[in-house]
Amino acid sequence: MVTSPHSLASAAGVDVLRAGGSVVDAAIAASAVLAVVYPHMTGVGGDAYWLIHDAKQAKVRCLDGGGRASRHADLHALRQQGLTEIPFRGILAATLTTPGAVSSWDQAHKAYGRLSLRRVLASAIDYARDGFVVTPRFAAWLAAHQADVIPFEDSKRLFLADGPLKAGALLTNAGLARTLEAIASDGADGFYRGETGRLLAAFSAAQGGVFDAQDLAAQQARWTEPIKGSYRGLQLYQTPAPTQGFTLLQMLHILEGFDLRAAGYLSPEHVHLLVQAKQIAYHDRDRYLADPQFVDVPMQRLIDPGYAAQRRSLIDPGSALAWDRVPSYGSLVGDTVYIAVADDQGNAVSLIQSLYGAFGSGVVAGETGVLLQNRSAYFSLDPHHPNSLQAHKTPMHTLIASIGFRNDRLWSVLGCMGADGQPQIQLQAYVAMLDFDCDVQCAIETPRWLSGRFALGESRDTLHIESRFPKATIEELDRRGHILDPWGPWHELAGHAHGIVIDPITNVLAGGSDPRSDGAAIGW
């Protein structure tokens, strides 16, 4: 089974499985198609993080495909230019870090691939060369963000040559087709070195960018150890630092001290307790999280249930826990795709990939057709912050993925898009399944909230909430002091969640796909 936010990507993944490919082959196939058909959310110019369950070895492995800062990255030089933060769009955001996703594809394929990369990438190459049909959602995202791509000539030529693309239009990207063909022939070398690497480096130099050929050649995905926590008998694996995966584990550990089932599904108490757990965990995120190769991230303490019990005492049962009332220290200021794959042998992939903001930096790198990410904008320019910009460093990442086990058997493969919302969305889905007996599709379709600042000028205490919640719940949350931002019934900014749950007795795979996306869960 494959589930993802676009039906063409899910179908490409299943096609590879039916041809004898592995779960990793299928994940790469789906990810590559999404890089073509969902360019507002992902691409080969972005980053990726993997959790892979190797059933034969009975082991969950993590693959870090985060892009590193160029060796030329210089925080003090940027501050001397008067910058207090890295611009969200443009060539600086595009080239301060190198893209990491393709290196992760290459590493995963070398370890677990069965089919050739040419076979795995065939669907993506066809869609880039021959075109794909623009969905209403993609057209709406482009209409909302055309000001972010118009300033860049190659981006404007690709997306806005004849005005904004309309739903039903056919979009081709010949440059990206050639780039994918180079990857199909030579793997990571075909992207970071060779002709594509030369074109990327030349484009960066011509536009006054930062990374160069040596930075691109040095990009390498790394195998790391996942982190693990537990909730209601579920052993849950998450991506480690520099990702925010620990926040989900900490929130679940905090909530294990409450009887949510007794509170009632979608009740005020249900939402109130989850939002407060989020406020507490995110304070720890903003204090500590950064690249562990550069700073000490106290991960074992942060995911320790004893520490969560201490933090649980901060919860106020009667009133909203305001951001500035949580004892903590500082703050930080997207868009993403998630793919879940599972087979009949118990192997699974949980893959998250992103350009960070919608359309990333807005910059298409010339003849390559590659839309470059703006993940570097997540670095701090405060030299004393653990997530400060530094050469060769990976910025703190919102990208997270999960794999869960019950009674030592693979049970869940689940994740979502949503930047700061990702741990919150996973939290709501797991609570729905484990506390309220929802199946995976019900858990994904359930009304959703997101807490925090998701637009300029918003309070850190804003609680965005879909209108499908019971009226009494919304009114009581308002009474308790939550700063509410009402959303419509199905709001796309509430994220695209996708997942697979495996029945522990029959081994039947149940897939969930978010109706807020263009996705599908497809099995055979």
Side-chain angles (χ1 to χ4, degrees):
M1 179 170 281
V2 181
T3 181
S4 82
H6 199 295
S7 59
L8 293 180
S10 299
V14 169
D15 175 59
V16 163
L17 288 175
R18 292 178 71 94
S22 67
V23 289
V24 163
D25 289 331
I28 295 170
S31 180
V33 169
L34 286 164
V36 177
V37 304
Y38 251 33
H40 54 305
M41 293 196 171
T42 189
V44 296
D47 288 350
Y49 284 83
W50 299 64
L51 291 180
I52 300 172
H53 180 235
D54 182 335
K56 189 174 292 186
Q57 298 294 322
K59 183 180 178 66
V60 177
R61 303 183 70 190
C62 180
L63 184 57
D64 177 339
R68 315 277 187 267
S70 164
R71 71 189 194 285
H72 303 298
D74 188 334
L75 180 152
H76 298 290
L78 295 179
R79 286 173 63 90
Q80 286 173 2
Q81 295 173 26
L83 294 176
T84 57
E85 59 185 29
I86 295 167
F88 199 68
R89 310 286 183 187
I91 194 65
L92 181 61
T95 59
L96 266 174
T97 63
T98 50
V102 174
S103 179
S104 77
W105 290 0
D106 187 72
Q107 289 288 319
H109 185 260
K110 285 175 178 174
Y112 295 104
R114 293 182 193 154
L115 304 180
S116 70
L117 274 176
R118 181 161 295 282
R119 174 64 180 87
V120 169
L121 298 179
S123 291
I125 292 169
D126 286 347
Y127 288 128
R129 182 186 59 237
D130 301 330
F132 65 93
V133 176
V134 172
T135 66
R137 279 192 175 84
F138 175 28
W141 279 90
L142 181 58
H145 290 276
Q146 59 180 306
D148 296 321
V149 299
I150 281 176
F152 311 109
E153 196 58 40
D154 294 296
S155 308
K156 182 179 178 181
R157 186 180 303 113
L158 176 61
F159 295 118
L160 301 165
D162 300 310
L165 289 166
K166 303 297 184 184
L170 197 69
L171 178 62
T172 62
N173 187 340
L176 183 56
R178 290 190 296 270
T179 294
L180 289 168
E181 287 171 339
I183 298 168
S185 295
D186 300 312
D189 283 348
F191 182 77
Y192 296 100
R193 303 164 189 87
E195 179 65 8
T196 302
R198 185 191 68 77
L199 289 170
L200 288 169
F203 178 83
S204 177
Q207 300 296 321
V210 183
F211 69 56
D212 59 18
Q214 187 173 331
D215 292 320
L216 291 166
Q219 179 64 35
Q220 183 75 33
R222 296 182 300 109
W223 292 101
T224 64
E225 290 297 318
I227 55 176
K228 184 173 70 171
S230 64
Y231 183 74
R232 314 291 196 218
L234 178 73
Q235 296 295 312
L236 191 63
Y237 288 83
Q238 266 288 343
T239 48
T243 84
Q244 61 179 338
F246 86 88
T247 59
L248 174 63
L249 301 182
Q250 188 184 87
M251 288 187 289
L252 289 170
H253 290 160
I254 289 171
L255 291 166
E256 195 139 32
F258 299 96
D259 187 350
L260 294 178
R261 186 185 291 268
Y265 183 54
L266 304 184
S267 67
E269 196 71 9
H270 172 192
V271 179
H272 180 76
L273 290 172
L274 268 62
V275 172
Q276 297 210 31
K278 173 266 171 183
Q279 294 284 71
I280 293 166
Y282 276 49
H283 267 270
D284 282 344
R285 183 197 73 163
D286 290 0
R287 179 186 185 188
Y288 293 113
L289 191 57
D291 187 339
Q293 296 189 93
F294 286 78
V295 298
D296 179 24
V297 181
M299 189 56 64
Q300 291 310 307
R301 176 171 178 251
L302 292 169
I303 62 174
D304 187 293
Y307 177 67
Q310 296 175 28
R311 299 293 272 171
R312 187 183 301 132
S313 65
L314 298 172
I315 286 181
D316 185 333
S319 299
L321 182 61
W323 181 261
D324 60 8
R325 284 174 49 214
V326 181
S328 194
Y329 331 80
S331 181
L332 297 175
V333 174
D335 300 294
T336 302
V337 296
Y338 172 77
I339 300 157
V341 186
D343 69 13
D344 60 348
Q345 303 300 308
N347 301 298
V349 166
S350 193
L351 170 59
I352 190 86
Q353 185 167 327
S354 177
L355 292 171
Y356 183 33
F359 296 94
S361 62
V363 177
V364 171
E367 298 174 47
T368 69
V370 173
L371 188 57
L372 295 169
Q373 67 180 352
N374 59 337
R375 181 61 61 175
S376 65
Y378 222 48
F379 273 126
S380 171
L381 291 185
D382 176 356
H384 303 295
H385 196 284
N387 188 44
S388 60
L389 175 66
Q390 193 172 343
H392 308 297
K393 190 175 183 180
T394 303
M396 175 266 199
H397 255 278
T398 54
L399 299 184
I400 63 172
S402 76
I403 289 181
F405 294 79
R406 299 180 85 171
N407 300 318
D408 297 322
R409 294 172 65 91
L410 178 67
W411 183 72
S412 63
V413 190
L414 187 139
C416 56
M417 63 84 98
D420 281 2
Q422 288 185 41
Q424 304 178 53
I425 296 166
Q426 286 197 33
L427 173 71
Q428 292 170 74
Y430 276 113
V431 165
M433 291 189 290
L434 296 168
D435 289 284
F436 299 108
D437 301 322
C438 291
D439 62 36
V440 64
Q441 186 63 44
C442 169
I444 286 169
E445 290 189 7
T446 197
R448 199 173 288 161
W449 55 264
L450 287 183
S451 166
R453 178 186 298 143
F454 288 85
L456 291 175
E458 284 184 347
S459 165
R460 293 299 298 262
D461 296 317
T462 304
L463 181 58
H464 311 269
I465 188 164
E466 288 185 328
S467 61
R468 288 181 296 123
F469 275 92
K471 181 181 179 182
T473 293
I474 294 174
E475 290 176 347
E476 175 60 15
L477 291 171
D478 182 50
R479 191 195 68 77
R480 294 189 188 191
H482 293 275
I483 302 172
L484 300 181
D485 174 32
W487 274 346
W490 297 93
H491 201 290
E492 194 169 357
L493 292 183
H496 303 161
H498 293 82
I500 298 170
V501 168
I502 298 92
D503 187 286
I505 298 173
T506 65
N507 289 326
V508 167
L509 308 178
S513 176
D514 204 317
R516 303 169 184 86
S517 74
D518 294 309
I522 305 176
W524 68 286

